[in-house]
Amino acid sequence: MYYAAMRPEEVSMLSAEQCELPSEGWGRLMLAGARPQVGSAWTDDGKPYEERQLKHRARRAVRPVPIPPVLVAILRGHIDTFGTTADGRLFSAVRGGPVRSQEYGAVWKEARKKALTPGQVASPLARIPYDLRHACVSFWLRSGVSLAETARRAGQSVAVLQRYYAKVLDGEETRMNALIEQGLAEQESESEAP
């Protein structure tokens, strides 16, 4: 979730055929569906989840997300170690069905206790797995990825990014000034070229 700004319901549907995992360099996820957990009272077939299109997307839309080599290696290792389900999904519950929020939530809670200090565990830091998506989007923006490209990768609109992530960009005046100075210097050197 952290390296690709994925929603939990997108991870639940991730299949090997959606993954481009080269032996070196960047890969790509071709996200094509979601399996949100909605409760059996809210579905037509009584299952606690519903397979549907990506959030705010047309039914057959695909969201390509470039993924860094570290995630490529993680996913390749996962597939090599655990394989896939009969329908090609990368992740499954103990009995082979979709991983439910109660299951990954319980694992997440225990992982936080092992990975964080007691003070961090008591704080809202990475309280729920979805926070990894927020951390990824924030990281991309802080790293200088444009609003448009961040929105495209995360499957959001620029307006949503500006509304929810504007605070990430606060305090960037010095850095932005340096970028503008660099651009002006490049422009000046190009105009002086013969």
Side-chain angles (χ1 to χ4, degrees):
M1 289 175 64
Y2 175 72
Y3 292 112
M6 293 177 72
R7 296 174 176 94
E9 62 265 22
E10 294 167 344
V11 174
S12 179
M13 288 286 289
L14 186 63
S15 68
E17 71 179 22
Q18 293 174 295
C19 302
E20 296 174 15
L21 306 173
S23 57
E24 294 182 2
W26 282 70
R28 181 177 312 277
L29 299 180
M30 301 300 286
L31 303 179
R35 184 181 278 145
Q37 189 170 331
V38 295
S40 56
W42 299 100
T43 62
D44 293 334
D45 58 10
K47 292 180 182 174
Y49 55 84
E50 182 176 71
E51 292 186 17
R52 57 171 77 156
Q53 74 273 10
L54 296 170
K55 190 172 183 180
H56 304 301
R57 299 287 173 120
R59 204 160 271 295
R60 300 204 194 287
V62 173
R63 187 173 94 233
V65 181
I67 57 171
V70 64
L71 182 54
V72 171
I74 289 168
L75 293 176
R76 287 174 66 95
H78 178 83
I79 293 168
D80 290 345
T81 303
F82 302 105
T84 63
T85 64
D87 63 357
R89 286 180 292 109
L90 270 59
F91 307 105
S92 69
V94 175
R95 293 191 181 114
V99 179
R100 298 179 60 184
S101 62
Q102 298 91 326
E103 294 164 329
Y104 67 73
V107 171
W108 184 253
K109 191 174 184 179
E110 290 303 312
R112 282 184 84 245
K113 290 177 186 174
K114 291 181 179 184
L116 303 176
T117 66
Q120 290 171 326
V121 171
S123 78
L125 176 67
R127 175 83 46 170
I128 58 174
Y130 201 95
D131 290 338
L132 294 171
R133 175 177 163 75
H134 294 304
C136 179
V137 170
S138 297
F139 176 74
W140 288 344
L141 291 170
R142 282 301 251 175
S143 296
V145 178
S146 72
L147 283 170
E149 180 61 12
T150 297
R152 187 191 68 72
R153 290 180 185 215
Q156 293 180 319
S157 68
V158 171
V160 167
L161 284 182
Q162 289 176 316
R163 186 173 337 132
Y164 293 105
Y165 295 95
K167 59 189 171 286
V168 172
L169 301 174
D170 286 348
E172 292 282 291
E173 184 175 328
T174 301
R175 184 169 162 224
M176 294 303 116
N177 287 351
L179 288 173
I180 292 168
E181 282 182 13
Q182 178 184 346
L184 290 171
E186 289 171 4
Q187 190 178 42
E188 189 175 306
S189 69
E190 288 173 5
S191 67
E192 293 175 357

